[in-house]
Amino acid sequence: MKKHISHVLFYTATTVFVACSGTNTNGNEVTDSSKQTQDTTKLAPVETNPANSAYKPAFAGQTRIAGVKTTTAFEGKVVAEGLKSPWAAAVLPDGRLIVTEKAGNFKIVDTSTGQLSEAITGLPKVDAQGQGGLLGIALDPDFSSNRMVYWVFAEPASSGGNHTAVAKGKLAADEKTIEGATVIYQALPSHDGKLHYGGRIIFDQNGNLIVSTGERSDAVTRPQAQDLSSALGKIVRITKDGKAVAGNPYEGDSKARPEILSYGHRNVQGIAIHPETGDLWNTEFGPRGGDELNLVKPGKNYGWPTITYGIEYNGKEIGNPPIQQKEGMEQPVYYWDPVLSPSGMIFYTGSNIPEWKNNLFIGGLSSTHIARLVIENNKVVGEERLLAKEGQRFREVVQGKDGAIYALTDAGKLYKIDKK
C-alpha cells in the first residue's frame, strides 16, 4: 500500500486571536498556535450558520457555547489509507488498531507504517444495506490473556428484516480469523429497514458491556424509543454473555426489558465514560437540527420523539404541538443546530497535550470536523473544531497507546492528531 502523509496544523475557523501564520514545505497553511496569547475562553461560538428552527435552549450554554483555541502546537496527519468504509476501532495491546469495515470485515492497522492486514475471517454475516453492517468493536479488558473481541452489527433476521446484534469471538493467534464467533444479544424487535442501528459498544468499570441501539428511524418504529418492552432507541447494559446486568433499573419489571439502562434515544453512535467521575455520556443524532450530548443516568428518559430541538428533514415540525421540554424527560447537556452528525467519541486522558485533559472529542460526519468540547461541572464551557479543512466525514475517534488521538473517516483514512 502506498503510504500518504500530509502534515497540517489545524485550527478553528474563529480568527479573533493573535497568531503567526506561514506556509509549510507541503504548501499547507500553518498556524503557530503556540504564539497565541488571547484569553481563549472568550472567543465567538464556532457555529455561525443559522439554526434550522427558532427553538430556544432550556438554559444558557446549552448550545453555541463560546469558542476555545488550543494553545499547544499540534498537527493532524494521515497515517493510513485504503480502508473500506471503516466504522470503529479498538486499540490492541501493542498499539495497533483493529478496525471494523462496514461490509463485514475486521482489519488490523499498523499506525507506524500504515500497513493494513488482510480481512480477518470467521465473522457472522452482516446486513450492510444503508446504515447497517459491521459497526462498533471493543476488546475484553483481559484481552492480553483471553484475546476476546466483542462487536456490534446489523444481523439479518430469519423472519426477514434485521436488527442490531452483539457478538463475541476469539482473535486467533495468527490474527487471520475469529474463533468461536457467537451472537450474545439481539436488540428486538427486528425491522425491515436500513437506518438507525446505534452500534457503539464499550466496557464499563465493572467489566460489563454498554451498547447503544437506534430506533430504526421509520414512523412505525420511532415511538418504540419510549416503549420499555422494545430494545429500540435504548442504551443497554449486558454481561459478557449477553444477559441483563444485575441491578439494572428495570430488573424485575415484567413490562420492561431488563437490559435497558436508559431510553428515549434516537440513534446513539457515541458513548464514553468520563475518566475521573465514571459518568456515562452519549452523543446521538437529532433529525434536522437537535443533535445531542447527554449525561446518561440509569432509568432516565431522554425524550425522543416526544421532545426534540430538531425538525423533520422536510422542514415540518415534530409533534403537535412541537415541544422541547417536558417533565420526566432529560434535557441534553448540549445540542447542535445545524447538526454535528456525531459519531465516535472519547474523553482524552493523554499527557501529550495537557490542556486537552478530560476534554471530549467527537467525530462529526456531515459537519466534516472533530468537535472538541471543554466540560466543567457537567456543563460544556467551550467548543473547538479540529481538522475542519480536511473535508472528511469523521466516523470514529480513539486514543492510542502513544497518547495520540486517531480518527477514522468514511473515505478510509486514518488520521493521527498529536503534539507537533
Side-chain angles (χ1 to χ4, degrees), residues 141 202-210 237-240 243-246 273:
I202 60 173
F203 275 92
D204 69 11
Q205 305 94 320
N206 298 315
N208 295 310
L209 293 163
I210 297 175
R237 184 167 58 185
I238 56 177
T239 68
K240 293 180 183 181
K243 307 299 182 183
V245 172
I273 293 174

Side-chain angles (χ1 to χ4, degrees), residues 118-250:
E118 296 297 320
I120 297 170
T121 62
L123 278 67
K125 181 181 179 180
V126 308
D127 189 339
Q129 301 180 78
Q131 295 175 359
L134 186 58
L135 306 174
I137 186 171
L139 302 184
D140 193 293
D142 297 320
F143 177 86
S144 295
S145 58
N146 64 23
R147 302 187 65 79
M148 293 299 294
V149 182
Y150 297 76
W151 65 94
V152 184
F153 67 110
E155 180 182 36
S158 58
S159 57
N162 52 53
H163 46 256
T164 302
V166 180
K168 67 177 182 180
K170 182 178 180 180
L171 179 64
D174 62 7
E175 299 181 338
K176 294 182 178 180
T177 189
I178 294 291
E179 300 172 344
T182 306
V183 175
I184 61 172
Y185 177 76
Q186 297 170 324
L188 301 176
S190 301
H191 175 63
D192 188 7
K194 302 177 182 179
L195 303 173
H196 293 192
Y197 295 88
R200 291 296 171 188
I201 181 170
I202 60 173
F203 275 92
D204 69 11
Q205 305 94 320
N206 298 315
N208 295 310
L209 293 163
I210 297 175
V211 182
S212 66
T213 76
E215 38 65 284
R216 306 305 311 278
S217 181
D218 295 338
V220 66
T221 59
R222 181 184 282 186
Q224 292 190 42
Q226 290 292 318
D227 183 355
L228 291 174
S229 68
S230 167
L232 306 188
K234 308 298 190 295
I235 293 178
V236 303
R237 184 167 58 185
I238 56 177
T239 68
K240 293 180 183 181
D241 296 321
K243 307 299 182 183
V245 172
N248 275 355
Y250 298 103

Side-chain angles (χ1 to χ4, degrees), residues 367-380:
S367 60
T368 63
H369 68 266
I370 295 172
R372 170 195 169 216
L373 298 183
V374 181
I375 298 174
E376 295 177 0
N377 299 318
N378 294 334
K379 300 292 184 183
V380 176

Side-chain angles (χ1 to χ4, degrees), residues 287-321:
R288 185 174 165 185
D291 288 353
E292 295 182 358
L293 170 69
N294 289 299
L295 175 58
V296 179
K297 299 179 181 179
K300 295 297 184 179
N301 180 357
Y302 289 82
W304 178 256
T306 307
I307 61 173
T308 177
Y309 286 94
I311 59 177
E312 299 284 10
Y313 294 112
N314 62 12
K316 293 182 179 180
E317 295 174 328
I318 297 172
N320 187 22

Side-chain angles (χ1 to χ4, degrees), residues 51 53-65 308-309 324-325 331-337:
S53 76
Y55 301 148
K56 303 301 182 184
F59 54 85
Q62 195 180 20
T63 191
R64 298 189 184 227
I65 198 66
T308 177
Y309 286 94
Q324 292 73 55
Q325 303 172 41
Q331 281 291 305
V333 171
Y334 195 69
Y335 72 86
W336 291 265
D337 185 10

